[in-house]
Amino acid sequence: MYRLESKIVALFIVLIVVVQLAGFAAIRKAIDGNARSAITDELAIGQRVFVRLLDQNAQKLTQGARLLASDYGFRQAIGTDDRDTINSVLANHGARIGASMAMLIGTDGQIRASTLEYPDTDLQRSSMELIRKPEAENGASDNVIVGDSLFQIVAVPIKAPVTIAWVVMGFPVDRQLITDMRALSSLQVSILVSNRGATGWAADVSTLSPDASGMLTKEISQPSMKGAGIADLQIYGNEYRARALPLARSSSGQEAVAVLQRSVSEAVAPYHRLQVILLTISIVGVLVAALASAVMARRITSPLRELAAVAKRLGAGDYSEGVHIRRRRDEIGRLAGAFENMRTEIATRELKITRLAYQDHLTDLPNRAQFADLLKTAIAAAREVPHGTCHILMLDLDRFQQVNDVLGHSFGDDLLRQVAHRLVEQLQHPDAKVARLGGDEFAILLPGADHDEALEQAMRVLRALEHPLSLQEQTVDLGAGIGVAGFPAHGQTSDELLSHVEVAMYTAKRKGSGVVVYDPAIDKTSQESLSLLSELRRALERDEFMLYLQPKLNLASGGVIGAEALVRWVHPEKGFIGPDNFIPFAETTGFIRMLTTWMMEKTARLCGELQGRGIHLKFSVNLSTRDLMDLELPNTFATILNTYRLSPESFCLEITESAIMDDPARAQNTLERLSRMGFALGIDDFGTGYSSLAYLKSLPVDELKIDKSFVMKMEQDQDDAKIVRSTVDLGHNLGLRVVAEGVESEAVWFLLRQMGCDQGQGYFMGKPMPVERFLEWMQSWRAPAMLDQSENVAV
């Protein structure tokens, strides 16, 4: 991973290099553009200079020809047709003025004399065209191609005093002419003539080297070179900008052009030094910038490294060393200040957290976490000593919850502080520690103590707690159940000892035996309970529970109006298990909530199926204390009803009096929500609890179910019969429907009907049965015949 310092330096260097390269490229492009523009201007000027040079050369040649034409002897020789003299004069005068050819053409167009033995056909034609021009009376000139070379020819009339003949003289465009052009303009000049009867060009004369001029003849074929255009040429690695100037064209199609060239490399050469200087400046600038950025990056990253080291120490829990960065005015200084504040605040908060995590804030004793660490240390020390031991005591106060509820939480807190103080006073072992584990539970660690010492300490604590405590003018009588467990007899780890000593403590509480030493036999019962809970959960997952129904009938008509939903457990190994063997345990562990949801689900599904067949029954489902404490119960039932599209009126929810009285306010809140949803509510086992009739009046109940203990023997027991009649009258006076449970004979049936009881259920009508058996029973049920009035039983 790259360091931040390296990244900053690299970023600065990259930015500067990019800027320098961009500037260098822009300058180079501008230089190249300016050079090409200047070359274009030079070529345009060079073209005009070259044309002017050709004109001046033609005028000089014309002047030389005029001298010959005005010579008296030459004219006399023409008059006498002295051919030898004419040829001699033409040759001598032509050589004197640099003409490579000379001819005398008569007015009839015939060549009368010539320095050439066989004049070229193009030369003859061009000469005849030249003398026929209107301006030829004063002399004329033209460029012609003769024998694959470019010539300038001039024609001058010989007058005596009228024109008697024409002198035509030809001058080759030679190296001297183009060398003069090169000296005047610094341009390369090449005279190219196209090949006769074939494609391609040949160099006539050129200021270029032979190889370069040969390369030029290949490049001249570019389309841009036609019509005096500008073109860029590559000749042996050198770039040229060129301009072609047409000079002559023969009747056979041959062409002659002058190619003016300027080397681009030569044009930009004066700027190379400037570019080198700029490049040097750029390199120096990059180096200086790299050095400056390295210094700046170090100035930035050095404090950040220090802060990173501080953060690492803080992460490791070391808050001792402060942040020492002396930069107070910039952002890093403020960041360092923030780190220092954070260090101080974290250190303070860690102390508080440690205290909260390992110390009980109410009694200032070690808490469960610290006690567990102390126990681990004691076990480790005991392992180092031959036959080493250590023991722990765990105690839970008796009647503390009642004291807390009656006298208030503030009084309870003061009481716990006094208990903690008394426990510390009772310690006999010098290294013993008292801890509060939570609520009214305390523990005592006895490092190195043996079994007898632990029991002696436990009995001492028990006797101390038997003495009443005086607090706020109140005398409180407490007691405790104390469990004892030791290493290595009862466990090899701290978790095992804590678990086993807790089992021993709860056994002491349950039996009221004061002090109990852990024994594996005690734990077996707890394990069985855990095993039962696991089996109950598994039974729900594997659908081992069965829905049973007990009929509810209208006592007046004898008709079936509903059924009470009950649960039975068919264990795959133990077989049929009655509800008395698992329902109480399910209520204790809270599993009853899941079981209630299962009951409601199964009953709703059956209700929906029966309604689909036209059978409308009202099903009763029992709710436990834990169900009433569940604020989500109404929502759960609403979801089930929506799933099966049922109305709440199809159900009656039965609650025992004791379930309501455990937490009346919370129970009433849940019942009111269920009642508003449309559920009918009934109180089950009425008469066996200690409920307040005034409170019952305020509950949103619709039904009272008289407990079967009063109904079963009411035929023989007049007291039971009176209680039943009073309950029926009470229910009716409160506007409630009354149901009698435990109807086991026909006599009781008629007796209840005479008392005005609304509904009944019991073994006389039908025992709890599976759903299929219940449906068969409905088909076969017949209500007992009405008794005569004389047979009615009076109470």
Side-chain angles (χ1 to χ4, degrees):
M1 183 181 293
Y2 296 105
R3 295 190 307 169
L4 178 60
E5 181 178 341
S6 303
K7 291 181 179 179
I8 293 175
V9 173
L11 177 62
F12 271 88
I13 292 176
V14 168
L15 288 177
I16 292 173
V17 169
V18 168
V19 171
Q20 293 292 343
L21 288 177
F24 189 78
I27 292 172
R28 185 179 179 86
K29 185 176 181 181
I31 290 173
D32 187 72
N34 291 335
R36 291 179 185 276
S37 178
I39 290 173
T40 301
D41 295 339
E42 285 185 43
L43 291 175
I45 296 172
Q47 178 180 345
R48 291 195 293 270
V49 170
F50 186 68
V51 172
R52 183 68 176 271
L53 189 62
L54 288 176
D55 289 343
Q56 288 178 352
N57 192 55
Q59 290 175 8
K60 184 177 79 170
L61 297 176
T62 301
Q63 188 63 31
R66 282 198 182 105
L67 290 174
L68 177 61
S70 62
D71 184 79
Y72 176 77
F74 182 61
R75 285 186 294 178
Q76 189 177 16
I78 294 173
T80 60
D81 196 23
D82 186 355
R83 297 291 181 96
D84 292 334
T85 301
I86 294 173
N87 287 332
S88 177
V89 171
L90 288 174
N92 292 333
H93 191 74
R96 200 162 44 246
I97 64 174
S100 62
M101 67 178 111
M103 292 185 297
L104 179 66
I105 300 176
T107 55
D108 57 356
Q110 295 297 320
I111 299 175
R112 296 171 60 182
S114 174
T115 58
L116 298 175
E117 186 176 358
Y118 299 105
D120 188 270
T121 303
D122 286 334
L123 177 61
Q124 295 181 40
R125 180 184 59 78
S126 299
S127 299
M128 295 305 296
E129 290 177 353
L130 186 60
I131 64 177
R132 291 193 183 101
K133 289 182 178 180
E135 64 271 16
E137 289 298 324
N138 295 318
S141 63
D142 197 3
N143 301 321
V144 298
I145 301 172
V146 179
D148 295 332
S149 298
L150 179 66
F151 282 78
Q152 277 189 304
I153 60 172
V154 296
V156 177
I158 302 173
K159 295 183 180 182
V162 297
T163 301
I164 59 174
W166 296 82
V167 175
V168 178
M169 306 189 80
F171 304 88
V173 179
D174 55 8
R175 179 171 293 276
Q176 183 61 44
L177 179 65
I178 62 175
T179 301
D180 293 342
M181 179 62 190
R182 168 77 170 156
L184 289 172
S185 63
S186 299
L187 298 177
Q188 299 283 359
V189 183
S190 300
I191 304 299
L192 305 181
V193 179
S194 63
N195 295 324
R196 189 189 298 268
T199 59
W201 296 77
D204 187 5
V205 289
S206 175
T207 58
L208 296 171
S209 67
D211 292 337
S213 60
M215 179 68 73
L216 177 62
T217 59
K218 298 177 182 178
E219 294 286 332
I220 195 65
S221 301
Q222 291 188 19
S224 58
M225 291 295 293
K226 296 181 179 179
I230 300 294
D232 292 324
L233 308 177
Q234 291 288 338
I235 300 176
Y236 287 113
N238 293 323
E239 186 177 2
Y240 289 86
R241 178 154 281 202
R243 189 182 190 108
L245 176 62
L247 298 177
R249 184 181 181 86
S250 69
S251 59
S252 62
Q254 275 189 293
E255 295 180 76
V257 295
V259 179
L260 307 180
Q261 301 165 245
R262 182 76 161 93
S263 173
V264 177
S265 301
E266 292 178 1
V268 299
Y271 299 101
H272 284 167
R273 186 180 178 188
L274 175 60
Q275 290 179 315
V276 171
I277 293 173
L278 289 175
L279 182 60
T280 304
I281 294 174
S282 298
I283 293 173
V284 173
V286 169
L287 294 176
V288 172
L291 181 60
S293 61
V295 173
M296 182 180 295
R298 184 173 295 275
R299 181 172 172 78
I300 294 173
T301 57
S302 293
L304 292 180
R305 281 196 293 270
E306 294 181 30
L307 292 177
V310 171
K312 189 173 182 180
R313 290 199 305 271
L314 294 179
D318 180 8
Y319 310 106
S320 58
E321 187 176 348
V323 181
H324 306 290
I325 297 178
R326 298 178 181 178
R327 291 172 62 172
R328 300 183 179 274
R329 297 184 178 180
D330 60 6
E331 287 78 2
I332 293 180
R334 289 196 289 271
L335 179 61
F339 260 77
E340 177 61 19
N341 291 337
M342 181 178 69
R343 182 193 68 83
T344 305
E345 292 177 2
I346 290 177
T348 304
R349 195 157 49 246
E350 281 290 319
L351 289 175
K352 293 180 180 178
I353 292 173
T354 301
R355 191 168 182 272
L356 290 173
Y358 290 99
Q359 193 169 359
D360 178 56
H361 70 281
L362 181 64
T363 62
D364 289 331
L365 294 175
N367 62 6
R368 181 181 288 272
Q370 186 178 358
F371 185 79
D373 290 344
L374 293 172
L375 177 57
K376 290 177 183 177
T377 303
I379 292 174
R383 292 182 192 275
E384 300 296 327
V385 180
H387 308 294
T389 62
C390 73
H391 281 73
I392 55 174
L393 313 180
M394 185 179 291
L395 60 98
D396 185 271
L397 300 178
D398 296 333
R399 298 178 294 280
F400 175 76
Q401 188 61 46
Q402 290 88 333
V403 172
N404 204 42
D405 292 341
V406 173
L407 299 178
H409 292 286
S410 177
F411 185 90
D413 292 343
D414 291 339
L415 182 61
L416 290 174
R417 279 190 282 267
Q418 280 212 17
V419 170
H421 180 68
R422 182 171 290 190
L423 291 176
V424 172
E425 288 180 340
Q426 301 305 314
L427 296 180
Q428 293 176 303
H429 199 280
D431 296 326
K433 296 286 184 181
V434 179
R436 180 179 175 229
L437 305 184
D440 57 349
E441 286 186 9
F442 292 84
I444 299 175
L445 174 63
L446 302 173
D450 59 18
H451 179 74
D452 294 336
E453 291 173 334
L455 280 180
E456 183 182 351
Q457 179 68 77
M459 296 305 298
R460 183 181 176 90
V461 169
L462 188 63
R463 287 192 296 270
L465 292 178
E466 289 176 351
H467 295 289
L469 288 168
S470 297
L471 184 66
Q472 298 179 12
E473 299 181 355
Q474 298 284 343
T475 300
V476 180
D477 211 0
L478 288 177
I482 302 176
V484 181
F487 169 85
H490 304 134
Q492 297 296 314
T493 65
S494 61
D495 291 338
E496 287 182 0
L497 284 181
L498 287 172
S499 175
H500 293 164
V501 76
E502 188 172 14
V503 170
M505 179 192 71
Y506 282 121
T507 302
K509 290 275 290 182
R510 187 171 61 252
K511 294 183 177 180
S513 53
V515 177
V516 171
V517 179
Y518 173 76
D519 189 299
I522 301 174
D523 207 16
K524 185 177 180 181
T525 304
S526 300
Q527 291 176 356
E528 290 177 352
S529 297
L530 291 175
S531 175
L532 179 58
L533 179 59
S534 299
E535 289 185 354
L536 283 172
R537 295 182 186 277
R538 215 164 26 243
L540 196 61
E541 294 171 0
R542 297 176 181 178
D543 201 22
E544 295 176 4
F545 293 114
M546 291 185 63
L547 179 64
Y548 270 56
L549 300 174
Q550 185 174 23
K552 290 179 70 174
L553 295 94
N554 187 310
L555 294 176
S557 64
V560 181
I561 59 173
E564 181 177 3
L566 303 169
V567 63
R568 298 294 183 265
W569 183 7
V570 182
H571 195 281
E573 297 175 359
K574 301 176 182 178
F576 187 87
I577 299 178
D580 292 341
N581 294 325
F582 66 89
I583 291 296
F585 179 76
E587 290 181 346
T588 303
T589 59
F591 180 78
I592 193 68
R593 291 181 181 178
M594 300 174 65
L595 200 55
T596 300
T597 303
W598 179 88
M599 286 281 295
M600 189 66 183
E601 177 85 23
K602 292 291 187 181
T603 306
R605 179 183 298 176
L606 174 62
C607 182
E609 292 175 358
L610 293 178
Q611 288 185 6
R613 299 188 211 170
I615 303 173
H616 296 275
L617 299 176
K618 195 180 194 74
F619 291 93
S620 298
V621 178
N622 292 286
L623 300 183
S624 70
T625 303
R626 289 185 179 266
D627 291 325
L628 294 181
M629 299 302 106
D630 185 5
L631 297 179
E632 289 298 315
L633 183 69
N635 296 332
T636 303
F637 282 6
T639 301
I640 295 173
L641 293 179
N642 290 334
T643 301
Y644 296 100
R645 299 179 181 179
L646 296 174
S647 169
E649 284 78 10
S650 300
F651 297 90
C652 178
L653 306 178
E654 297 185 0
I655 314 100
T656 62
E657 294 179 74
S658 58
I660 299 173
M661 294 308 146
D662 281 351
D663 191 342
R666 196 166 179 179
Q668 184 166 3
N669 178 44
T670 303
L671 292 173
E672 287 176 350
R673 290 176 61 191
L674 292 170
S675 178
R676 286 195 296 269
M677 290 173 63
F679 285 103
L681 302 177
I683 296 180
D684 195 10
D685 300 336
F686 185 79
T688 59
Y690 303 94
S691 58
S692 166
L693 295 179
Y695 192 77
L696 286 177
K697 183 180 179 182
S698 66
L699 291 174
V701 295
D702 305 280
E703 178 180 288
L704 287 182
K705 179 180 282 189
I706 305 173
D707 187 70
K708 61 183 178 181
S709 61
F710 303 113
V711 176
M712 292 174 62
K713 298 179 181 179
M714 61 179 291
E715 182 182 6
Q716 295 87 19
D717 192 327
Q718 292 296 313
D719 291 335
D720 285 347
K722 292 176 182 179
I723 291 172
V724 171
R725 174 177 286 279
S726 299
T727 303
V728 171
D729 293 339
L730 172 65
H732 288 164
N733 290 333
L734 293 175
L736 305 178
R737 181 174 57 252
V738 181
V739 181
E741 183 181 20
V743 180
E744 298 190 357
S745 65
E746 184 177 15
V748 172
W749 167 292
F750 288 113
L751 189 58
L752 288 169
R753 186 168 64 179
Q754 179 189 7
M755 293 179 179
C757 186
D758 302 301
Q759 299 174 10
Q761 71 179 84
Y763 282 15
F764 173 68
M765 292 85 83
K767 297 180 180 181
M769 61 193 80
V771 173
E772 295 77 8
R773 179 71 185 88
F774 174 78
L775 298 178
E776 294 174 359
W777 174 88
M778 285 183 62
Q779 301 296 325
S780 61
W781 163 251
R782 296 292 181 270
M786 290 287 294
L787 296 176
D788 295 335
Q789 185 66 28
S790 59
E791 295 176 325
N792 287 348
V793 181
V795 179

mmCIF file of all heavy atoms in Angstrom, residues 772-791:
data_model
loop_
_atom_site.group_PDB
_atom_site.id
_atom_site.type_symbol
_atom_site.label_atom_id
_atom_site.label_comp_id
_atom_site.label_asym_id
_atom_site.label_seq_id
_atom_site.Cartn_x
_atom_site.Cartn_y
_atom_site.Cartn_z
ATOM 1 N N GLU A 772 -62.360 -36.257 14.127
ATOM 2 C CA GLU A 772 -63.178 -37.182 13.342
ATOM 3 C C GLU A 772 -64.254 -37.834 14.221
ATOM 4 O O GLU A 772 -65.412 -37.970 13.803
ATOM 5 C CB GLU A 772 -62.284 -38.277 12.720
ATOM 6 C CG GLU A 772 -61.275 -37.768 11.703
ATOM 7 C CD GLU A 772 -60.070 -37.108 12.336
ATOM 8 O OE1 GLU A 772 -59.958 -37.189 13.585
ATOM 9 O OE2 GLU A 772 -59.246 -36.506 11.601
ATOM 10 N N ARG A 773 -63.852 -38.190 15.456
ATOM 11 C CA ARG A 773 -64.819 -38.812 16.381
ATOM 12 C C ARG A 773 -65.883 -37.798 16.782
ATOM 13 O O ARG A 773 -67.069 -38.156 16.923
ATOM 14 C CB ARG A 773 -64.059 -39.310 17.624
ATOM 15 C CG ARG A 773 -64.942 -39.946 18.680
ATOM 16 C CD ARG A 773 -65.456 -41.299 18.219
ATOM 17 N NE ARG A 773 -66.394 -41.849 19.187
ATOM 18 C CZ ARG A 773 -67.697 -41.599 19.187
ATOM 19 N NH1 ARG A 773 -68.218 -40.815 18.261
ATOM 20 N NH2 ARG A 773 -68.473 -42.150 20.102
ATOM 21 N N PHE A 774 -65.488 -36.533 16.938
ATOM 22 C CA PHE A 774 -66.456 -35.492 17.303
ATOM 23 C C PHE A 774 -67.505 -35.316 16.208
ATOM 24 O O PHE A 774 -68.709 -35.181 16.497
ATOM 25 C CB PHE A 774 -65.710 -34.172 17.532
ATOM 26 C CG PHE A 774 -66.617 -32.997 17.761
ATOM 27 C CD1 PHE A 774 -67.236 -32.795 18.999
ATOM 28 C CD2 PHE A 774 -66.886 -32.087 16.738
ATOM 29 C CE1 PHE A 774 -68.070 -31.709 19.201
ATOM 30 C CE2 PHE A 774 -67.717 -31.011 16.947
ATOM 31 C CZ PHE A 774 -68.320 -30.819 18.182
ATOM 32 N N LEU A 775 -67.087 -35.360 14.960
ATOM 33 C CA LEU A 775 -68.048 -35.209 13.858
ATOM 34 C C LEU A 775 -69.016 -36.389 13.818
ATOM 35 O O LEU A 775 -70.218 -36.215 13.531
ATOM 36 C CB LEU A 775 -67.296 -35.067 12.530
ATOM 37 C CG LEU A 775 -66.376 -33.831 12.409
ATOM 38 C CD1 LEU A 775 -65.645 -33.837 11.077
ATOM 39 C CD2 LEU A 775 -67.200 -32.548 12.556
ATOM 40 N N GLU A 776 -68.503 -37.584 14.120
ATOM 41 C CA GLU A 776 -69.395 -38.752 14.177
ATOM 42 C C GLU A 776 -70.362 -38.619 15.353
ATOM 43 O O GLU A 776 -71.554 -38.958 15.246
ATOM 44 C CB GLU A 776 -68.559 -40.032 14.328
ATOM 45 C CG GLU A 776 -67.688 -40.335 13.117
ATOM 46 C CD GLU A 776 -66.772 -41.524 13.369
ATOM 47 O OE1 GLU A 776 -66.838 -42.073 14.496
ATOM 48 O OE2 GLU A 776 -65.999 -41.881 12.453
ATOM 49 N N TRP A 777 -69.845 -38.131 16.501
ATOM 50 C CA TRP A 777 -70.720 -37.966 17.682
ATOM 51 C C TRP A 777 -71.846 -36.983 17.393
ATOM 52 O O TRP A 777 -72.990 -37.185 17.837
ATOM 53 C CB TRP A 777 -69.857 -37.452 18.842
ATOM 54 C CG TRP A 777 -70.673 -37.102 20.058
ATOM 55 C CD1 TRP A 777 -71.052 -37.904 21.071
ATOM 56 C CD2 TRP A 777 -71.214 -35.800 20.340
ATOM 57 N NE1 TRP A 777 -71.803 -37.232 21.984
ATOM 58 C CE2 TRP A 777 -71.925 -35.925 21.556
ATOM 59 C CE3 TRP A 777 -71.185 -34.573 19.686
ATOM 60 C CZ2 TRP A 777 -72.588 -34.840 22.136
ATOM 61 C CZ3 TRP A 777 -71.850 -33.504 20.248
ATOM 62 C CH2 TRP A 777 -72.528 -33.624 21.465
ATOM 63 N N MET A 778 -71.566 -35.925 16.667
ATOM 64 C CA MET A 778 -72.609 -34.945 16.346
ATOM 65 C C MET A 778 -73.774 -35.598 15.607
ATOM 66 O O MET A 778 -74.947 -35.234 15.827
ATOM 67 C CB MET A 778 -72.028 -33.801 15.494
ATOM 68 C CG MET A 778 -71.175 -32.798 16.262
ATOM 69 S SD MET A 778 -70.621 -31.449 15.187
ATOM 70 C CE MET A 778 -72.196 -30.729 14.710
ATOM 71 N N GLN A 779 -73.460 -36.590 14.764
ATOM 72 C CA GLN A 779 -74.514 -37.245 13.994
ATOM 73 C C GLN A 779 -75.376 -38.166 14.875
ATOM 74 O O GLN A 779 -76.571 -38.349 14.624
ATOM 75 C CB GLN A 779 -73.880 -38.060 12.850
ATOM 76 C CG GLN A 779 -73.048 -37.236 11.881
ATOM 77 C CD GLN A 779 -73.888 -36.214 11.129
ATOM 78 O OE1 GLN A 779 -75.056 -36.481 10.814
ATOM 79 N NE2 GLN A 779 -73.303 -35.047 10.877
ATOM 80 N N SER A 780 -74.724 -38.697 15.913
ATOM 81 C CA SER A 780 -75.444 -39.683 16.739
ATOM 82 C C SER A 780 -76.034 -39.100 18.026
ATOM 83 O O SER A 780 -76.789 -39.778 18.728
ATOM 84 C CB SER A 780 -74.489 -40.840 17.101
ATOM 85 O OG SER A 780 -73.383 -40.344 17.850
ATOM 86 N N TRP A 781 -75.699 -37.861 18.402
ATOM 87 C CA TRP A 781 -76.155 -37.291 19.666
ATOM 88 C C TRP A 781 -77.665 -37.084 19.679
ATOM 89 O O TRP A 781 -78.251 -36.561 18.728
ATOM 90 C CB TRP A 781 -75.443 -35.958 19.938
ATOM 91 C CG TRP A 781 -76.118 -35.114 20.978
ATOM 92 C CD1 TRP A 781 -76.801 -33.961 20.770
ATOM 93 C CD2 TRP A 781 -76.204 -35.373 22.376
ATOM 94 N NE1 TRP A 781 -77.301 -33.469 21.931
ATOM 95 C CE2 TRP A 781 -76.946 -34.315 22.957
ATOM 96 C CE3 TRP A 781 -75.750 -36.405 23.205
ATOM 97 C CZ2 TRP A 781 -77.223 -34.254 24.325
ATOM 98 C CZ3 TRP A 781 -76.020 -36.335 24.555
ATOM 99 C CH2 TRP A 781 -76.737 -35.262 25.105
ATOM 100 N N ARG A 782 -78.295 -37.515 20.809
ATOM 101 C CA ARG A 782 -79.713 -37.260 21.044
ATOM 102 C C ARG A 782 -79.848 -36.725 22.461
ATOM 103 O O ARG A 782 -79.375 -37.343 23.422
ATOM 104 C CB ARG A 782 -80.532 -38.553 20.903
ATOM 105 C CG ARG A 782 -80.497 -39.140 19.503
ATOM 106 C CD ARG A 782 -81.242 -38.228 18.494
ATOM 107 N NE ARG A 782 -81.236 -38.808 17.168
ATOM 108 C CZ ARG A 782 -80.296 -38.597 16.264
ATOM 109 N NH1 ARG A 782 -79.274 -37.809 16.564
ATOM 110 N NH2 ARG A 782 -80.375 -39.166 15.076
ATOM 111 N N ALA A 783 -80.517 -35.606 22.615
ATOM 112 C CA ALA A 783 -80.690 -34.993 23.931
ATOM 113 C C ALA A 783 -81.658 -35.829 24.762
ATOM 114 O O ALA A 783 -82.565 -36.478 24.230
ATOM 115 C CB ALA A 783 -81.215 -33.569 23.769
ATOM 116 N N PRO A 784 -81.512 -35.847 26.116
ATOM 117 C CA PRO A 784 -82.433 -36.623 26.966
ATOM 118 C C PRO A 784 -83.848 -36.047 26.889
ATOM 119 O O PRO A 784 -84.032 -34.842 26.699
ATOM 120 C CB PRO A 784 -81.827 -36.480 28.363
ATOM 121 C CG PRO A 784 -80.988 -35.234 28.295
ATOM 122 C CD PRO A 784 -80.473 -35.163 26.902
ATOM 123 N N ALA A 785 -84.844 -36.945 27.045
ATOM 124 C CA ALA A 785 -86.244 -36.508 26.958
ATOM 125 C C ALA A 785 -86.589 -35.644 28.157
ATOM 126 O O ALA A 785 -86.031 -35.786 29.252
ATOM 127 C CB ALA A 785 -87.160 -37.739 26.912
ATOM 128 N N MET A 786 -87.575 -34.741 27.935
ATOM 129 C CA MET A 786 -87.984 -33.822 28.999
ATOM 130 C C MET A 786 -88.675 -34.608 30.119
ATOM 131 O O MET A 786 -89.481 -35.499 29.883
ATOM 132 C CB MET A 786 -88.950 -32.787 28.427
ATOM 133 C CG MET A 786 -88.289 -31.801 27.482
ATOM 134 S SD MET A 786 -87.265 -30.621 28.349
ATOM 135 C CE MET A 786 -88.512 -29.744 29.271
ATOM 136 N N LEU A 787 -88.356 -34.275 31.380
ATOM 137 C CA LEU A 787 -89.039 -34.886 32.520
ATOM 138 C C LEU A 787 -90.371 -34.174 32.768
ATOM 139 O O LEU A 787 -90.552 -33.021 32.408
ATOM 140 C CB LEU A 787 -88.170 -34.792 33.775
ATOM 141 C CG LEU A 787 -86.833 -35.562 33.723
ATOM 142 C CD1 LEU A 787 -86.058 -35.292 34.997
ATOM 143 C CD2 LEU A 787 -87.089 -37.039 33.557
ATOM 144 N N ASP A 788 -91.272 -34.917 33.417
ATOM 145 C CA ASP A 788 -92.522 -34.280 33.809
ATOM 146 C C ASP A 788 -92.262 -33.255 34.895
ATOM 147 O O ASP A 788 -91.271 -33.300 35.606
ATOM 148 C CB ASP A 788 -93.508 -35.349 34.345
ATOM 149 C CG ASP A 788 -93.890 -36.313 33.230
ATOM 150 O OD1 ASP A 788 -93.819 -35.909 32.037
ATOM 151 O OD2 ASP A 788 -94.226 -37.446 33.578
ATOM 152 N N GLN A 789 -93.200 -32.327 35.006
ATOM 153 C CA GLN A 789 -93.034 -31.247 35.986
ATOM 154 C C GLN A 789 -92.928 -31.822 37.392
ATOM 155 O O GLN A 789 -92.229 -31.297 38.240
ATOM 156 C CB GLN A 789 -94.236 -30.290 35.894
ATOM 157 C CG GLN A 789 -94.118 -29.068 36.768
ATOM 158 C CD GLN A 789 -92.998 -28.150 36.336
ATOM 159 O OE1 GLN A 789 -92.677 -28.133 35.178
ATOM 160 N NE2 GLN A 789 -92.391 -27.443 37.276
ATOM 161 N N SER A 790 -93.627 -32.979 37.604
ATOM 162 C CA SER A 790 -93.611 -33.570 38.949
ATOM 163 C C SER A 790 -92.268 -34.173 39.293
ATOM 164 O O SER A 790 -91.968 -34.423 40.448
ATOM 165 C CB SER A 790 -94.699 -34.665 39.057
ATOM 166 O OG SER A 790 -94.447 -35.662 38.080
ATOM 167 N N GLU A 791 -91.465 -34.433 38.220
ATOM 168 C CA GLU A 791 -90.177 -35.054 38.471
ATOM 169 C C GLU A 791 -89.060 -34.031 38.638
ATOM 170 O O GLU A 791 -87.942 -34.388 38.883
ATOM 171 C CB GLU A 791 -89.819 -35.998 37.308
ATOM 172 C CG GLU A 791 -90.774 -37.176 37.193
ATOM 173 C CD GLU A 791 -90.486 -38.039 36.001
ATOM 174 O OE1 GLU A 791 -90.072 -37.463 34.967
ATOM 175 O OE2 GLU A 791 -90.616 -39.246 36.095
#
